[in-house]
Amino acid sequence: MEWLVHFYALHSKLIDQIGINAIFALSLSLTLQAGHLALANAAFGGIAAYVASLLSLSRGWPLSVTTLIGAAAAAAVGAVIGLPVTRLRGVFLAIATIGFGEIALIVENNLSITGGAEGLSQIPNETTTWKIYLVLAILAFFFWRLRRTRAGWAIAAVREDEYAAASFGIDPARVKFWTFVGSAAIAGIAGSLYAHENFFISPGDWGFSRMIDILVYCVIGGAASPWGAMLGAAIISLLPEVFRFLHDYRDIVNGIVLLAVVIFAPQGIAGLWSRDQRGRKAAAAAEGQSR
Amino acid sequence: MFDQQLANGIFLGAVYALFAVGYTLIFGVLDILNLAHSAIFMASSFVALALVRHGMPFWAAFLVATAFGGALSVVLDRVAFAPLRARGVGGGALGPLISSIAFGIIVVSVVRGIFGPDEVGYPTGAVLSANLHLGHATFTAIDLSVLVISLVMMILLSMLLKVTPLGRAIRAVAENTKAASLLGIDVERTIGLTFLIAGALGAAAGILIGAQFNAVGILMGQRIELKGLAVIILGGMGSIPGAVLGGFLLGLLEVFSVAYLSSSYRDAIAFAVMFLILIVRPAGLLGKRAARTA
């Protein structure tokens, strides 16, 4: 027990980081489960982080309230952006969402209320480990239940075959839109937790490279599996710690692991021991995602 | 004022176009969004700089580093794309996108390990910096060389695609890989050569931009990567003339927006245009592909 306390004292920051990254990974996995590649989660996390932080700073509201409002703001922006962009196919959706992310970044860089390039500081440090993992547990439960609901089946159907799904009376456009909005909301929760963990946020925290990190979590773990996404987030968050001795060449490990997974284990790490054939097929379908 | 802005826009646009042509060539042939293109662009720029610092004249360094970029691009294909192709994972899938990101991470990390994270410049006098005048515009000899080299390379590329057997093979593979293979075209070799050409073009863009701004840095790839996306969306994914047109248009738009509007939103122009094009006309100005699902 004493060992555990000691371990936590030493690594609490990293443990928190893994939890927040896992929530980001779950947010992306929602759209991946529906078979589409939208890359604005980092931007949505940023929007929520700014909204929640500004509320904490100016009103002093508690974390639960500011996080919910932040996530709602991200979802609202997601709905406005989602209407036109979720109609785009494959790579074009990815590009449109990357473009949106860059615009959000530039706006944050130039507004005075967001503190411009310097960002916001002295954000109350209200995020704690148990809060992060409580949120993660609730989300994991939600994803687990989702599979067995009508909405869950609709999402799986759209991923497997949009046209077949449509012939069963499922509207693929609606599924894509709502998974996009839901994904924005979850990313928003992660963003707000991040802001209240780190005292300080700036536009650079929500750029393309952060988005790539989130995508990497999902791919390493298994593109269409929420469990894989969380696992991937944990592994990739730990890698830099393990390979600290490589100094400047540290990132190379990320690149090699990522390349190896895509080439040798396209269903991700979750797919390596998954006996669940449905899961395997789902991941394969996400990989060979129709355009 | 206007002349000067026009000249600046054209010089900036030439490099955008040269970068985007290689980018869009890969997309046109393989339907792959090659996110490692910018890493090749950056790495080649460093190679040219290192050669010049070791006493090689700029023009020779340019040729060697361009060849290096082409070769690196072939390696990229063999390592990151060919294994997926062999397994039948088509373009448009998540796999090739991710493996190109992975390859890019590796290249960037190696370059940072060798050259360090700081931005560096060419030794004085290594690149032509004499001032030239045309109308009311002033520019340097390197500006003009960048424009001329870019134009020559793009013209050579379109001629190569139009009239040579290799060009015909590339177009056939782009149209339909299976049919091309049935017609006796060596598909793997054609794809390899396509990567060689695309990599060389991206490398040339990187070397030229490094010389023009006299700044070579690890972040230069990241900076142009997303701009390049905007250019090929504007011009039409997979369209070479589209990429050229898109490059010059974006260069002019950016320069004039700084001159007449405000500089703080300069970088937003590219993405706002890209976003609008995707929503209003996803095929771009000169593209033919349908970007929307039914």
Side-chain angles (χ1 to χ4, degrees), chain A residues 37 85 87-89 92 95-96 98-99 102-103 106 110 212 215 219 249 251-252 255 258-259 262-263 266 287 291, chain B residues 31 79 87 92-95 97-98 101-102 105 109 112-113 226 237 264-265 267-268 274-275 278 290-291 293:
Chain A
L37 181 63
V85 303
R87 301 198 162 273
L88 297 168
R89 71 173 171 86
F92 291 89
I95 295 172
I98 291 172
E102 290 300 308
I103 294 171
I106 294 163
N110 287 293
I212 295 294
L215 181 60
V219 172
Y249 289 94
D251 286 350
I252 217 175
L258 188 57
L259 195 56
V262 175
I263 289 168
E287 190 203 15
R291 287 177 295 108
Chain B
D31 252 13
V79 173
R87 217 171 52 219
L94 198 48
L97 185 78
I98 307 287
I101 291 173
I105 293 174
S109 163
R112 189 191 293 122
L226 301 180
M237 290 286 273
S264 45
Y265 284 93
D267 290 329
M274 170 169 119
F275 199 82
L278 276 171
T293 48

Side-chain angles (χ1 to χ4, degrees), chain A residues 189-278:
Chain A
I189 295 174
S192 169
L193 290 174
Y194 177 94
H196 291 87
E197 163 92 14
N198 290 300
F199 308 98
F200 165 76
I201 51 171
S202 68
D205 294 340
W206 319 102
F208 187 56
S209 53
R210 173 127 199 99
M211 188 59 236
I212 295 294
D213 287 343
I214 300 170
L215 181 60
V216 169
Y217 306 149
C218 287
V219 172
I220 296 264
S225 141
W227 313 116
M230 291 191 281
L231 184 67
I235 293 172
I236 294 300
S237 311
L238 284 171
L239 272 185
E241 303 302 320
V242 178
F243 290 98
R244 205 174 267 284
F245 66 92
L246 286 175
H247 301 294
D248 279 349
Y249 289 94
R250 208 161 48 174
D251 286 350
I252 217 175
V253 181
N254 278 352
I256 291 170
V257 169
L258 188 57
L259 195 56
V261 167
V262 175
I263 289 168
F264 300 112
Q267 279 101 47
I269 293 171
L272 284 179
W273 66 72
S274 162
R275 298 232 179 93
D276 177 4
Q277 281 303 310
R278 223 181 327 130

Side-chain angles (χ1 to χ4, degrees), chain B residues 203-228:
Chain B
I207 302 159
L208 292 176
I209 219 171
Q212 192 179 12
F213 292 100
N214 197 19
V216 177
I218 206 89
L219 292 175
M220 62 189 288
Q222 265 179 40
R223 260 183 235 130
I224 201 165
E225 176 166 47
L226 301 180
K227 290 272 178 71

Side-chain angles (χ1 to χ4, degrees), chain B residues 159-179:
Chain B
M159 277 166 56
L160 179 130
L161 287 176
K162 275 218 174 77
V163 299
T164 65
L166 173 63
R168 272 197 296 276
I170 290 176
R171 282 184 291 138
V173 172
E175 203 63 47
N176 187 327
T177 322
K178 274 198 190 115

